[in-house]
C-alpha cells in the first residue's frame, strides 16, 4: 500500500479498495485515498476520490458520514462543473437518491429539510433533463415512512407512470421497493409477483436479490409457502452475511427464525454480528434490528428460557429477559425519535406491531443444524379427560388404554395415582398401579413388580401375579442379569402351565409368562451372537415411541419413551437382522429360544378371539422367529415373517407396533438388492408409526427412505426426506451424528437440483459435525466435494479450491486414487478461476501425475492443456505455453497409437482434435504479446496449422464431429483473413455452409455456424 503519486495509481487503489469487504477498514482507506488525491493537484482526482468515499460510506454501517463528501461534491459542481467528466456528472446526480434516503434514515434531520431537499432534487433533475421517476420514487419513500398513506399512493402511481431514464433505480431495486409497499399494505401475493423477476435472477445488482430474498420471508410464511421461505432464507442469508450494510435484511432473517420455531438458529445469527447491536450510523436499520431482537427474546421467555444466556451488546453477559428489556427500550426510543421528527406515530406503531408478532409456523425444518429451544422447566402433565373426571372414570380409562395396548396408557395410570392420593384402594387397583409404576421406572422398578405380584395374589389372581414377576425377570435380563432372569422365568413358566392346566388362570396371563421367558431367551441369543448392524452399515431401525401400551420397561438407553410389553421386548432397539453363522455355544440357546417362541404361538395362535393382547403375542412371536431365521442366514424367511408380524399388528389395530418390523423388512430388501421392496417397507413404517415413532426413529426412517428414493433419481422427494431426517435428528439430540449424515445427504440432493446456495449452507452446517472417526472419511470427502461444486457455481472459486484441496488431501491416502486425481483436477480449476496461477499449475501437475499413474491419458492431456493456458497468463509466457501444448499433443498421439479397441480410439481421436483446436486458439492468443509483424504472422501461421489438423481429425469422427469441425474451419477462416488471405477465408466459409446444406432450423449450432460463415463471406477484402 505505497504512496499515491499519479492519477492512474489512485484509480487502481480505489478499485482495489472497492473490492474489499464492507466496513470501517474500507471506509478508513477511502478517507486516506481522498487525502492522497488532494495532494495530486487534479480536480477530477478529488472528485473521484470523494465519489469513492461516498460510495463506501453508503455501503457500510457508517451511512451517516456520506453527507459531508456529498455536500463538498455538490459545491464543486456548482462552482466548476467543467471539472466533472460525464461519468462523475452522472454519478453526482445519481447519489442524490442515496442522500435523500439517507436523510430519511437519520431522525436528527428535520422533516422540513428533507422536503426541501426533495424540491432541490426535482429542480436539479429537471435542469439536467432527467425524468421525474426518481424524484417521485423518493417522494413515495418519504410519504410511506411517515405514514401519509394517501400521499404515498399518489407518489407511488406517479413513480410508476414516469418514464425510466438513466437516473431511475435499477429494475431490481425498484421492484424491491414496490413489493415492500404491497406487503406493508397487506397484499402479499402482489408483492411476491412483483419480486418474482428478482427472485428468479432476471434482475440483479449489488444489493439484489439480497434484500428481496429477506423481504419475501414473512409474506411467504403468511401465504403458507413455507418451502419457498426456507429456500429464500438459506439463499438470502448467504448473500447478506458478509455485507455489513445489510443490517435490516439480516434482521429479517433473524425474525424468520423466531417466527418458525428456529429460535436457536436466530441466536446463532445474533452471535455472528455483535456490532449490529451498537452500530449507530444507520438508526433506521438499528431500529429494525432491535425490534426483532425484542421479538426473539420475548419468544424465548415464553418458552421458559428467560434466564438463558444469549448474545448481546459487548461488555457484559445477557439473559433473554434482560436483553428483551434492553432491546425494547432501544427500539422504542429510536421509534420515538423518528415519530417526533415526523409528527406521526407511524414508525412506533409499526415497531410495536413487529415486536408483538406471533410465530407463523410451529417449527419449520431448515436443513442446517439448529437444536430446538427447550424450556428449562418441567413440562406440564398431559391434559386429563374433560370435566375433571373422578377416580373411577380415570381408572376405567387407564384400564381401557392398557387392555387395548394404546399409547399414553402409562400417563393414564399416572393420572390415576395422582387422583388416588391417600385414598384406600382395592388390592386389584393397587396391584395395577404398582405394576404400571414399575414399568415407568425401568430397571429401578424391579422390586415394584414383586409388590404388584403380591397384590395380584391378594386380589385372587395368581396368574397375573406370575405375569408380573415374569415382567420383572425380563427387566432384570435387560440390566444384564440374564442367567438369573432365565432361572426365574423358567420356574414361573412351570407354575403358569400348571395353573393353566388346572384352569386356575387364563390364556392371557399364561401367554404373558411364556412371552417373557421367550424374550429372555432371545436376550441370551443376542448376547451370544455377533453385534448386528444394518446391511449398509448405517443407522439402526427406528424405535416406536408408544408411551405406553403394556406392562414392560426398557433400560435407560432405550429409544422407547417409557416401557411397554410390546414395544419393549426388543433386544437392541433397532438392530436389523443380518445373516451369519451362529457360534456353537449360542446354537443351543438359539434352539431353546425358538422352542420357547413356538410354544407361545402354539398357545395363542388361532385362539385370540379378537383380544388385542393375544393378537399382539402372536405377532411378536412371529417377529422373534424372523430374527432367528435371519441369524441362521435365511433372509427370505426372515423377511416373510417380519412382514406377517407387521400385518398382524396392523390387523389388530396396532399399526405403531408394525414400524420396527417394516423397517426390518426394508433393511432385508435393501440387503438382497430389492430397492422397490425396501421403499415400500419404509413408507409403510412411516405411515404406520404416525406420531408414535421416536424422533431418532423418524430420522432413521426418513434418511433411509431418502437414500432409496435418491438412488432412483427422485432428488426432489429425496431432499424432502433428508430434510425431515435432519429435523428429527436435531429433535432427538443427534445433530452431530445422525443429523450430520442427513445434512450431508440433503446437501447432495439440493446440489442435484441446482440449488447451489441452499446446498452450500446445508453442507457447511454438516461439515461442522462430520468427522472421519464418527462418519468415515468418505462422508467428509464427499461433503467437501459437493460443497466445492456449489461454491464453484456460486463464483466463490477460492473457497471452492480450499474444500477441493482438503478433500484431495484426505483421498491421497486411499488405496484407489481416482477420487484423489479428480479432486486435484477440480481444485486446479478453482485455483485458476480464482487467479492463483502458481497454485493452479501445481495442482494440475499433481493431477496429471495421478492421471498418468491411473492410465487415463485423456485427463492427463487435459491437465497439460490447462497448464498451457496458465503459462500464457503467467510467468511461463507464450513459449512455456507452447511447450505444454506440444506435450499434450504428444501424449495424446502416443495414447492413440496404443489404443486397441474402437471406442477408445474414437474418444482419443476427439481428445486429440480438441487439443489441436486449443493449441491453435492459444497460438492465436499469444500473438497479442508480439510487437513485430513477422512474429504475429508466424504465430497466425502456426495457429492455422493446428486448426487444420483439428478440422481433419473432427472430420474423421463423422456426424459426431460435425459441429466441432465447422467450428475449427471458421477459426481457420478467421486466421486466413488475419493473414490477408480473403480467398482462402471465403473458401472455408463456403465449406461450412455446404456442410449444413439440408440442416433444419431447429439446430441452434447449425444456425450460428451458418450465420458466422455468411458474415465471413460478406466481409470486404482488406
Amino acid at each position: 500500500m505505497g504512496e499515491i503519486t499519479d492519477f492512474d495509481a489512485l484509480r487502481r487503489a480505489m478499485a482495489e479498495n472497492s473490492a474489499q469487504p464492507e466496513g470501517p477498514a474500507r471506509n478508513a482507506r477511502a478517507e486516506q485515498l481522498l487525502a492522497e488525491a488532494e495532494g495530486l493537484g487534479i480536480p477530477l482526482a478529488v472528485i473521484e476520490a470523494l465519489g469513492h468515499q461516498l460510495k463506501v460510506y453508503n455501503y457500510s454501517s457508517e451511512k451517516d458520514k456520506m453527507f459531508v463528501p456529498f455536500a463538498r461534491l455538490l459545491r464543486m459542481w456548482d462552482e466548476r462543473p467543467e471539472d466533472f467528466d460525464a461519468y462523475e456528472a452522472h454519478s453526482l446526480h445519481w447519489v442524490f437518491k442515496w442522500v435523500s434516503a439517507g436523510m430519511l434514515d437519520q431522525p436528527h434531520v428535520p422533516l422540513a429539510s428533507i422536503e426541501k431537499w426533495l424540491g432541490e432534487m426535482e429542480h436539479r433533475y429537471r435542469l439536467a433533463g432527467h425524468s421525474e421517476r426518481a424524484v417521485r420514487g423518493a417522494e413515495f419513500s418519504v410519504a410511506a415512512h411517515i405514514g401519509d398513506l394517501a400521499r404515498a399512493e399518489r407518489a407511488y402511481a406517479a413513480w410508476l407512470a414516469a418514464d425510466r431514464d438513466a437516473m431511475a433505480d435499477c429494475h431490481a431495486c425498484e421492484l424491491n421497493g414496490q413489493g415492500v409497499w404491497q406487503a406493508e399494505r397487506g397484499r402479499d401475493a402482489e408483492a411476491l409477483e412483483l419480486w418474482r423477476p428478482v427472485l428468479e435472477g432476471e434482475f440483479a445488482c449489488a444489493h439484489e436479490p439480497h434484500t428481496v430474498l429477506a423481504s419475501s420471508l414473512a409474506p411467504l410464511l403468511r401465504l403458507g409457502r413455507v418451502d419457498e421461505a426456507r429456500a429464500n432464507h438459506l439463499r438470502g442469508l448467504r448473500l447478506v452475511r458478509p455485507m455489513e450494510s445489510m443490517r435490516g435484511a439480516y434482521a429479517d432473517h433473524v425474525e424468520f427464525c423466531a417466527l418458525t420455531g428456529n429460535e436457536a438458529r436466530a441466536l446463532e445469527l445474533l452471535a455472528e454480528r455483535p456490532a449490529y447491536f451498537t452500530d449507530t450510523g444507520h438508526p433506521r436499520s438499528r431500529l429494525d434490528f432491535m425490534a426483532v431482537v425484542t421479538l426473539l427474546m420475548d419468544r424465548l421467555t415464553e418458552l421458559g428460557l428467560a434466564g438463558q444466556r444469549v448474545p448481546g451488546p459487548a461488555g457484559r453477559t445477557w439473559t433473554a429477559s434482560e436483553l428483551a428489556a434492553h432491546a425494547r427500550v432501544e427500539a422504542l426510543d429510536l421509534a420515538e425519535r423518528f415519530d417526533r421528527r415526523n409528527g406521526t406515530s407511524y414508525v412506533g406503531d409499526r415497531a410495536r406491531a413487529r415486536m408483538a408478532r406471533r410465530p407463523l409456523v410451529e417449527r419449520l425444518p431448515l436443513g442446517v443444524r439448529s437444536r430446538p429451544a427447550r424450556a428449562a422447566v418441567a413440562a406440564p402433565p398431559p391434559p386429563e379427560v374433560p370435566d375433571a373426571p373422578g377416580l373411577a372414570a380415570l381408572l376405567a380409562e387407564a384400564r381401557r388404554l392398557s387392555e387395548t395396548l394404546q399409547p399414553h396408557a402409562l400417563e393414564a395410570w399416572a393420572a390415576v395415582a395422582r387422583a388416588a392420593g391417600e385414598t384406600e384402594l382395592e388390592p386389584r387397583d393397587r396391584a395395577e398401579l404398582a405394576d404400571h409404576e414399575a414399568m415407568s421406572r425401568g430397571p429401578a422398578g424391579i422390586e415394584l413388580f414383586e409388590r404388584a405380584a403380591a397384590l395380584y395374589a391378594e386380589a385372587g389372581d395368581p396368574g397375573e401375579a406370575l405375569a408380573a414377576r415374569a415382567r420383572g425377570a425380563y427387566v432384570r435380563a435387560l440390566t444384564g442379569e440374564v442367567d438369573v432372569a432365565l432361572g426365574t422365568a423358567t420356574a414361573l413358566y412351570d407354575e403358569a402351565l400348571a395353573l393353566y392346566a388346572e384352569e386356575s388362570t387364563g390364556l392371557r396371563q399364561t401367554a404373558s409368562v411364556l412371552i417373557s421367558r421367550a424374550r429372555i431367551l432371545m436376550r441370551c441369543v443376542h448376547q451370544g451372537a455377533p453385534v448386528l448392524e444394518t446391511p449398509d452399515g448405517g443407522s439402526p431401525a427406528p424405535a416406536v415411541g408408544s408411551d405406553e401400551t403394556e406392562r414392560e420397561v426398557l433400560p435407560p438407553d432405550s429409544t422407547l419413551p417409557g416401557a411397554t410389553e410390546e414395544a419393549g421386548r426388543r433386544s437392541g432397539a433397532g438392530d436389523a437382522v443380518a445373516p451369519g453363522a451362529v457360534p456353537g455355544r449360542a446354537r443351543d440357546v438359539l434352539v431353546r429360544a425358538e422352542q420357547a417362541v413356538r410354544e407361545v404361538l402354539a398357545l395363542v395362535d388361532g385362539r385370540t378371539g379378537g383380544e388385542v393382547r393375544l393378537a399382539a403375542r402372536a405377532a411378536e412371536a412371529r417377529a422373534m422367529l424372523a430374527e432367528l431365521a435371519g441369524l441362521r442366514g435365511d433372509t427370505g424367511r426372515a423377511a416373510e415373517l417380519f412382514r406377517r408380524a407387521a400385518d398382524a399388528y396392523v390387523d389388530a389395530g396396532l399399526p405403531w407396533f408394525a414400524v420396527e418390523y417394516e423397517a426390518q423388512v426394508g433393511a432385508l430388501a435393501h440387503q438382497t438388492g430389492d430397492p422397490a421392496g425396501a421403499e415400500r417397507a419404509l413408507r409403510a413404517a412411516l405411515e404406520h408409526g404416525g406420531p408414535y415413532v421416536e424422533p431418532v426413529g423418524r430420522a432413521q426412517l426418513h434418511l433411509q427412505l431418502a437414500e432409496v428414493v435418491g438412488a432412483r433419481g427422485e432428488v426432489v422427494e429425496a431432499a424432502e426426506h433428508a430434510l425431515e431426517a435432519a429435523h428429527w435428528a436435531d429433535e432427538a439430540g443427534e445433530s452431530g451424528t445422525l443429523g450430520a449424515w442427513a445434512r450431508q445427504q440433503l446437501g447432495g440432493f439440493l446440489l442435484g437440483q441446482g440449488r447451489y446456495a441452499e446446498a452450500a449452507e446445508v453442507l457447511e452446517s454438516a461439515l461442522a459435525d462430520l468427522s472421519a472417526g464418527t462418519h468415515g472419511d468418505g462422508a467428509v470427502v464427499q461433503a467437501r466435494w459437493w460443497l466445492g461444486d456449489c461454491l464453484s457455481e456460486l463464483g466463490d472459486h477460492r473457497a471452492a479450491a480450499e474444500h477441493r484441496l482438503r478433500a484431495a488431501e484426505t483421498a491421497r491416502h486411499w488405496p484407489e486414487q481416482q477420487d484423489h486425481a479428480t479432486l486435484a483436477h477440480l481444485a486446479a480449476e478453482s485455483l485458476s478461476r480464482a487467479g492463483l496461477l502458481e497454485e493452479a499449475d501445481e495442482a494440475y501437475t499433481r493431477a496429471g501425475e495421478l492421471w498418468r499413474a491411473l492410465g487415463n491419458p485423456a485427463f492427463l492431456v487435459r491437465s497439460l492443456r490447462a497448464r498451457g493456458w496458465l503459462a500464457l497468463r503467467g510467468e511461463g509466457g507464450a513459449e512455456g505455453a507452447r511447450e505444454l501444448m506440444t506435450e499434450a499433443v504428444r501424449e495424446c498421439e502416443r495414447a492413440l497409437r496404443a489404443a486397441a479397441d474402437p471406442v477408445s480410439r474414437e474418444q482419443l481421436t476427439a481428445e486429440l482434435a480438441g487439443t489441436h483446436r486449443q493449441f491453435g486458439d492459444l497460438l492465436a492468443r499469444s500473438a497479442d504479446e508480439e510487437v513485430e509483424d513477422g512474429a504475429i504472422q508466424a504465430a497466425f501461421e502456426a495457429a492455422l496449422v493446428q486448426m487444420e489438423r483439428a478440422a481433419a481429425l473432427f472430420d474423421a469422427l463423422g456426424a459426431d464431429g460435425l459441429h466441432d469441425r465447422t467450428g475449427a474451419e471458421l477459426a481457420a477462416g478467421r486466421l486466413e483473413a488475419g493473414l490477408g488471405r480473403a480467398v482462402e477465408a471465403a473458401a472455408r466459409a463456403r465449406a461450412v455452409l455446404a456442410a449444413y446444406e439440408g440442416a433444419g432450423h431447429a439446430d441452434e449450432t447449425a444456425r450460428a455456424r451458418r450465420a458466422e460463415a455468411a458474415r465471413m463471406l460478406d466481409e470486404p477484402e482488406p
Side-chain angles (χ1 to χ4, degrees):
M1 194 180 294
E3 183 179 355
I4 305 298
T5 58
D6 58 64
F7 201 174
D8 288 340
L10 174 69
R11 283 173 166 165
R12 285 194 299 272
M14 290 190 295
E16 291 171 1
N17 195 45
S18 293
Q20 297 304 306
E22 295 177 353
R26 188 171 75 157
N27 294 354
R29 177 60 175 158
E31 293 162 6
Q32 181 183 354
L33 290 174
L34 176 59
E36 300 268 14
E38 290 169 336
L40 296 178
I42 303 172
L44 184 58
V46 175
I47 291 168
E48 291 189 13
L50 284 166
H52 173 67
Q53 189 182 75
L54 197 156
K55 179 178 180 180
V56 299
Y57 283 155
N58 184 61
Y59 292 111
S60 79
S61 62
E62 298 179 308
K63 292 177 183 286
D64 54 335
K65 290 185 175 182
M66 70 179 176
F67 301 116
V68 172
F70 180 76
R72 185 175 172 187
L73 276 170
L74 193 59
R75 185 172 64 253
M76 293 175 72
W77 169 262
D78 289 338
E79 294 173 355
R80 291 182 56 84
E82 64 273 16
D83 288 342
F84 288 69
D85 63 15
Y87 179 82
E88 292 303 326
H90 172 88
S91 297
L92 175 68
H93 286 81
W94 180 268
V95 296
F96 263 85
K97 298 177 294 183
W98 293 359
V99 174
S100 64
M103 288 180 173
L104 200 61
D105 295 339
Q106 303 291 333
H108 69 275
V109 179
L111 187 61
S113 298
I114 296 173
E115 295 285 6
K116 181 180 179 181
W117 180 255
L118 274 177
E120 178 73 8
M121 179 181 174
E122 183 173 11
H123 172 68
R124 288 180 179 267
Y125 272 39
R126 188 180 299 113
L127 288 177
H130 296 307
S131 163
E132 67 171 10
R133 187 179 183 92
V135 177
R136 298 285 77 81
E139 181 188 5
F140 161 76
S141 297
V142 173
H145 172 68
I146 66 177
D148 187 343
L149 303 184
R151 182 188 178 191
E153 292 285 11
R154 291 194 301 272
Y156 182 89
W159 171 27
L160 270 61
D163 293 334
R164 284 187 55 83
D165 68 348
M167 283 298 111
D169 280 343
C170 75
H171 284 288
C173 287
E174 283 204 333
L175 290 173
N176 173 44
Q178 293 163 20
V180 167
W181 176 244
Q182 297 301 327
E184 288 180 358
R185 304 309 298 147
R187 299 185 283 264
D188 289 334
E190 291 86 341
L192 288 163
E193 181 59 27
L194 283 166
W195 288 328
R196 184 182 53 77
V198 183
L199 294 172
E200 293 179 357
E202 183 178 344
F203 301 122
C205 69
H207 276 189
E208 296 298 350
H210 316 42
T211 310
V212 164
L213 284 164
S215 299
S216 71
L217 298 174
L220 285 168
L221 290 176
R222 288 193 291 265
L223 291 173
R225 293 159 60 174
V226 295
D227 291 338
E228 294 172 69
R230 177 197 302 110
N232 287 3
H233 169 64
L234 294 176
R235 286 175 59 201
L237 183 63
R238 189 168 195 85
L239 292 173
V240 304
R241 184 181 275 129
M243 301 183 73
E244 184 199 46
S245 64
M246 303 203 72
R247 179 165 53 184
Y250 198 86
D252 289 340
H253 286 281
V254 176
E255 179 186 53
F256 166 81
C257 294
L259 298 179
T260 57
N262 289 285
E263 296 86 1
R265 173 148 169 99
L267 291 175
E268 293 170 4
L269 299 186
L270 293 187
E272 288 182 19
R273 300 311 296 256
Y276 278 171
F277 287 99
T278 53
D279 285 342
T280 59
H282 192 239
R284 193 171 183 182
S285 69
R286 187 160 184 258
L287 167 58
D288 291 336
F289 185 77
M290 286 301 187
V292 166
V293 170
T294 305
L295 166 69
L296 173 61
M297 296 305 126
D298 285 349
R299 177 65 182 150
L300 291 173
T301 300
E302 283 183 35
L303 292 171
L305 297 167
Q308 177 173 316
R309 288 185 58 176
V310 294
R316 56 160 289 185
T317 59
W318 295 88
T319 65
S321 61
E322 291 168 344
L323 185 57
H326 170 79
R328 179 174 282 102
V329 169
E330 291 284 319
L332 293 178
D333 178 65
L334 282 166
E336 194 276 333
R337 289 168 57 196
F338 277 108
D339 285 342
R340 187 168 60 248
R341 188 270 305 272
N342 299 339
T344 68
S345 64
Y346 191 71
V347 173
D349 292 342
R350 289 178 56 78
R352 282 182 285 272
R354 187 170 199 178
M355 290 187 284
R357 283 181 181 172
R358 305 301 304 155
L360 296 170
V361 180
E362 182 178 352
R363 181 89 197 281
L364 175 63
L366 301 179
V368 294
R369 178 175 183 170
S370 182
R371 289 177 177 156
R374 288 287 182 255
V377 295
E384 298 180 353
V385 181
D387 302 324
L391 180 58
L394 289 172
L395 190 58
E397 176 65 8
R399 282 182 175 139
R400 183 189 70 80
L401 292 175
S402 59
E403 289 292 325
T404 56
L405 301 177
Q406 296 299 306
H408 311 300
L410 283 185
E411 292 178 5
W413 281 106
V416 171
R418 288 193 300 271
E422 300 299 323
T423 304
E424 184 65 29
L425 298 175
E426 294 296 322
R428 177 73 190 198
D429 300 337
R430 285 185 286 133
E432 292 182 81
L433 280 173
D435 205 356
H436 288 89
E437 184 179 352
M439 296 179 207
S440 67
R441 290 191 181 185
I446 292 175
E447 299 306 321
L448 268 176
F449 280 117
E450 292 296 328
R451 172 170 170 71
L455 288 167
Y456 280 127
E458 183 182 344
D461 192 341
E464 200 63 62
L466 293 177
R469 291 179 62 199
R471 286 190 281 275
Y474 177 55
V475 172
R476 191 175 297 280
L478 293 177
T479 67
E481 298 182 49
V482 179
D483 291 339
V484 174
L486 183 56
T488 301
T490 301
L492 294 171
Y493 162 81
D494 292 335
E495 291 185 52
L497 288 181
L499 282 176
Y500 185 62
E502 297 169 359
E503 298 185 353
S504 297
T505 191
L507 180 62
R508 192 181 74 183
Q509 290 84 353
T510 306
S512 185
V513 174
L514 266 62
I515 200 73
S516 292
R517 174 171 170 267
R519 289 171 179 168
I520 294 170
L521 282 164
M522 291 297 292
R523 291 292 294 179
C524 295
V525 169
H526 283 290
Q527 283 191 348
V531 175
L532 303 177
E533 296 180 349
T534 52
D536 59 357
S539 53
V544 176
S546 53
D547 64 12
E548 250 6 314
T549 62
E550 240 227 287
R551 309 169 181 180
E552 202 65 72
V553 293
L554 291 178
D557 62 350
S558 169
T559 52
L560 294 180
T564 75
E565 190 166 358
E566 290 305 317
R569 61 106 202 135
R570 302 179 59 219
S571 59
D575 291 341
V577 174
V582 180
R585 190 163 59 87
R587 192 174 296 112
D588 291 341
V589 179
L590 190 149
V591 172
R592 290 180 63 195
E594 181 170 355
Q595 181 180 357
V597 172
R598 292 194 181 281
E599 287 185 33
V600 175
L601 276 174
L603 180 68
V604 302
D605 207 13
R607 303 173 63 192
T608 60
E611 186 175 341
V612 170
R613 283 174 178 259
L614 293 177
R617 294 283 179 261
E620 182 181 346
R622 285 195 172 81
M624 289 179 179
L625 290 177
E627 289 187 49
L628 295 171
L631 288 170
R632 290 194 175 97
D634 190 348
T635 55
R637 178 64 174 162
E640 177 192 352
L641 287 167
F642 277 132
R643 167 58 60 203
R644 289 177 65 186
D647 291 343
Y649 274 124
V650 173
D651 291 343
L654 305 170
W656 46 88
F657 287 132
V659 173
E660 63 175 300
Y661 306 128
E662 297 284 8
Q664 294 279 23
V665 172
L668 291 168
H670 182 85
Q671 177 186 337
T672 56
D674 179 14
E679 183 177 341
R680 284 194 301 272
L682 290 167
R683 290 189 187 280
L686 279 172
E687 176 188 352
H688 292 150
Y692 306 119
V693 181
E694 285 269 312
V696 68
R698 291 197 194 189
Q700 291 159 354
L701 285 172
H702 279 293
L703 183 54
Q704 292 166 18
L705 195 51
E707 293 169 355
V708 172
V709 172
R712 61 179 173 82
E714 298 293 336
V715 293
V716 175
E717 185 185 353
E720 293 171 357
H721 286 295
L723 176 68
E724 287 294 319
H727 165 70
W728 289 112
D730 288 344
E731 290 282 340
E734 295 287 342
S735 294
T737 51
L738 189 59
W741 271 116
R743 275 180 267 282
Q744 190 243 27
Q745 291 294 301
L746 174 58
F749 294 134
L750 290 171
L751 171 63
Q753 298 175 58
R755 296 160 65 176
Y756 305 115
E758 297 167 66
E761 282 289 304
V762 170
L763 288 167
E764 286 172 348
S765 180
L767 280 167
D769 293 311
L770 284 171
S771 68
T774 302
H775 305 92
D777 55 9
V780 180
V781 167
Q782 183 64 82
R784 292 199 183 280
W785 192 328
W786 282 334
L787 181 54
D789 292 348
C790 293
L791 295 171
S792 180
E793 293 289 345
L794 295 170
D796 192 350
H797 300 298
R798 186 181 291 263
E802 177 187 350
H803 286 286
R804 286 169 167 174
L805 286 171
R806 293 180 66 178
E809 181 59 24
T810 301
R812 181 171 68 88
H813 304 286
W814 294 353
E816 214 293 316
Q817 290 290 284
Q818 177 75 25
D819 288 338
H820 182 199
T822 304
L823 285 162
H825 202 114
L826 290 170
E829 289 182 4
S830 295
L831 290 165
S832 174
R833 293 179 181 180
L836 301 171
L837 306 188
E838 292 183 14
E839 294 87 343
D841 184 71
E842 181 181 341
Y844 273 126
T845 301
R846 176 185 178 187
E849 292 168 352
L850 291 165
W851 293 128
R852 188 188 300 279
L854 287 166
N856 191 326
F859 277 91
L860 168 60
V861 168
R862 293 177 189 182
S863 68
L864 288 167
R865 291 198 310 243
R867 290 181 62 203
W869 286 107
L870 286 173
L872 188 64
R873 294 164 60 191
E875 296 181 0
E879 185 59 33
R882 285 193 288 269
E883 290 176 2
L884 286 162
M885 280 293 186
T886 300
E887 185 180 352
V889 169
R890 190 163 50 245
E891 288 287 350
C892 203
E893 289 175 339
R894 183 183 299 119
L896 183 56
R897 287 194 298 270
D901 63 282
V903 174
S904 296
R905 290 189 60 80
E906 183 173 337
Q907 291 173 344
L908 287 167
T909 297
E911 201 67 49
L912 180 58
T915 304
H916 281 300
R917 170 63 198 265
Q918 287 200 33
F919 199 172
D921 288 335
L922 181 142
L923 290 167
R925 187 82 55 83
S926 70
D928 295 341
E929 300 180 6
E930 307 294 347
V931 294
E932 298 181 3
D933 291 342
I936 295 173
Q937 182 170 349
F940 274 25
E941 292 284 7
L944 183 58
V945 171
Q946 296 296 328
M947 291 299 180
E948 289 174 336
R949 292 174 180 171
L953 287 165
F954 283 130
D955 188 45
L957 296 173
D960 290 340
L962 174 62
H963 292 329
D964 290 318
R965 177 176 72 81
T966 56
E969 287 282 6
L970 289 169
R974 290 190 293 272
L975 289 167
E976 300 271 26
L979 291 166
R981 302 170 187 167
V983 174
E984 289 83 349
R988 293 186 185 278
R990 283 191 288 272
V992 170
L993 291 173
Y996 287 115
E997 284 183 4
H1001 294 284
D1003 190 327
E1004 293 184 10
T1005 303
R1007 291 204 308 271
R1009 294 280 192 271
R1010 283 196 294 246
E1012 186 174 353
R1015 287 195 298 272
M1016 191 175 291
L1017 288 172
D1018 290 339
E1019 289 176 359
E1021 295 186 14

